[in-house]
Amino acid sequence: MKKPRVVVVGDGVAGAATAFALARRGATVTIVDAGLVGRATDAGAGIVQPWSTSSGGEFYELYSAGADFYPELIERLAEAGVHAIGYRRSGALVVNRDAAVIDEVEQRVRERAAASRTAGEVRRVDPVVARELFPPLADGLHGLHIAGGARVDGRALRTGLLDAAAAHGATRVEARAELTDEGSITADGTALPADAIVVAAGAWTDRVLRPLGVRVRVEPQRGQLVHLRVDADTRSWPSVHPVAAHYLVAFDAGRIVAGATRETGSGFDARVTAGGERQVLDDALSIAPGLAGASVVESRVGLRPLPEGDLPTVGPVDGRPGMYVNAGFGAGGLTMGPLVGDLLAERVLAESG
């Protein structure tokens, strides 16, 4: 049988995961990306810990399933020769000064962890133990430790997915993709043969779809993060979640990621701003004053693809046979993206046969 030819527009985590899953299943895959500044995958903090979120319903089910998919993803990448994506289950620590807040989170997490393959042990910890787990923390923070909380390096994950896709024969083109009203696609003006097209262009998805008169209502939301370095062995430190929009994520070699702003209405402005950086540092030091002496290594900015509702838009475009969309993950792309890309690839190939 002839291999279906699929063009994937966008090589962030959504596009890279879709491309890998397609190529692994035998499709002839071409990945097109213009290398625009502000890709969310390159800036994401990499928290894989869905169980404490206050969100529920379909969003939570997808979020949780994404976390549980990681062990299978890692096995598949290893089969393709990729062994390093910066993934580690080093735990997660939910903290708050109000013990009643942790009581509420604990009840929710325990119910969810019982149905999860990766959440692991859940235990309540007092402020002393919380500081033993993450030494820079403030005194007096009650905690809930989730053993299966994990983190992944977004840049390493993207590279790993693309390398694995290439190992299965996928090719990459650095160019601007343009769709035509007839449903064909070009890369910097050169036509690309395609039996199916997947638009996974993150915050730029509606721009790519514009020639078709289609909108999925995804807008850019700027997120600024600050990377710090401390003189300590941070490999086993958990991520820290203060029941708020900000967080801390520990990686190897003393690196701590503090994030993040949620600047809706930012447009495609991918600058680091004084106000954004100050907000991130103020939030970080409010829960971990021990980081005051940390070195500031760099600041990163990502334009999250913020959906109009809670859920991403994934699947075929109405009235456009062979055209698919995979976009709108907001802040959850590094958790949900690999699983969703795999599921979408299965559907694309089933409908292209």
Side-chain angles (χ1 to χ4, degrees):
M1 293 180 62
K2 180 182 177 181
K3 292 183 178 181
R5 301 165 300 177
V6 186
V7 176
V8 178
V9 181
D11 68 0
V13 67
T18 306
F20 167 53
L22 285 164
R24 179 177 172 272
R25 287 173 169 85
T28 298
V29 179
T30 302
I31 308 160
V32 184
D33 191 275
L36 299 175
V37 175
R39 179 169 38 211
T41 298
D42 289 348
I47 297 171
V48 183
Q49 192 283 96
W51 306 287
S52 68
T53 180
S54 59
S55 298
E58 290 183 66
F59 175 87
Y60 172 72
E61 294 302 322
L62 186 59
Y63 206 20
S64 177
D68 282 348
F69 180 67
Y70 259 90
E72 185 174 351
L73 172 70
I74 289 168
E75 288 184 8
R76 293 180 182 181
L77 290 173
E79 291 170 359
V82 174
H83 302 283
I85 57 170
Y87 178 86
R88 177 174 287 136
R89 294 174 66 192
S90 51
L93 184 64
V94 184
V95 297
N96 201 275
R97 293 194 178 278
D98 187 345
V101 171
I102 300 299
D103 289 340
E104 181 181 342
V105 174
E106 181 178 9
Q107 180 178 355
R108 180 166 67 242
V109 170
R110 288 192 180 279
E111 290 175 357
R112 290 171 168 177
S116 169
R117 299 193 303 272
T118 57
E121 180 188 9
V122 178
R123 64 186 175 104
R124 191 69 173 257
V125 297
D126 62 29
V128 173
V129 174
R131 287 197 67 190
E132 290 174 354
L133 291 168
F134 196 95
L137 279 181
D139 293 326
L141 292 173
H142 302 276
L144 182 73
H145 185 258
I146 307 167
R151 47 80 164 167
V152 64
D153 184 316
R155 295 183 179 186
L157 172 62
R158 169 183 170 268
T159 298
L161 288 165
L162 293 173
D163 287 348
H168 285 286
T171 59
R172 295 171 61 190
V173 178
E174 186 171 335
R176 180 183 176 187
E178 291 188 346
L179 302 178
T180 69
D181 185 54
E182 293 78 23
S184 60
I185 184 169
T186 63
D188 282 349
T190 300
L192 298 175
D195 300 305
I197 299 168
V198 179
V199 179
W204 293 268
T205 294
D206 276 342
R207 285 190 173 185
V208 175
L209 291 171
R210 188 177 298 160
L212 304 183
V214 173
R215 290 188 64 202
V216 296
R217 300 188 184 280
V218 171
E219 69 167 304
Q221 182 196 60
R222 183 167 60 194
Q224 302 187 51
L225 304 92
V226 178
H227 287 233
L228 307 171
R229 192 173 305 282
V230 297
D231 185 16
D233 182 356
T234 53
R235 287 174 296 177
S236 62
W237 288 13
S239 56
V240 176
H241 309 258
V243 195
H246 58 98
Y247 49 77
L248 298 167
V249 190
F251 285 83
D252 297 352
R255 182 161 61 106
I256 307 290
V257 179
T261 64
R262 295 174 183 261
E263 301 171 66
T264 304
S266 63
F268 293 92
D269 182 356
R271 293 178 302 122
V272 175
T273 67
E277 191 165 85
R278 178 178 178 176
Q279 177 187 327
V280 171
L281 291 173
D282 283 348
D283 286 341
L285 296 179
S286 70
I287 58 167
L291 293 175
S295 301
V296 175
V297 177
E298 65 174 317
S299 295
R300 295 184 184 178
V301 177
L303 300 175
R304 302 185 189 94
L306 187 69
E308 188 173 63
D310 294 330
L311 294 170
T313 299
V314 182
V317 176
D318 290 343
R320 297 284 180 172
M323 187 74 63
Y324 299 82
V325 172
N326 185 6
F329 292 94
L334 292 179
T335 299
M336 296 186 282
L339 172 63
V340 172
D342 190 72
L343 295 173
L344 180 59
E346 191 171 20
R347 178 170 185 175
V348 170
L349 294 182
E351 294 176 355
S352 298

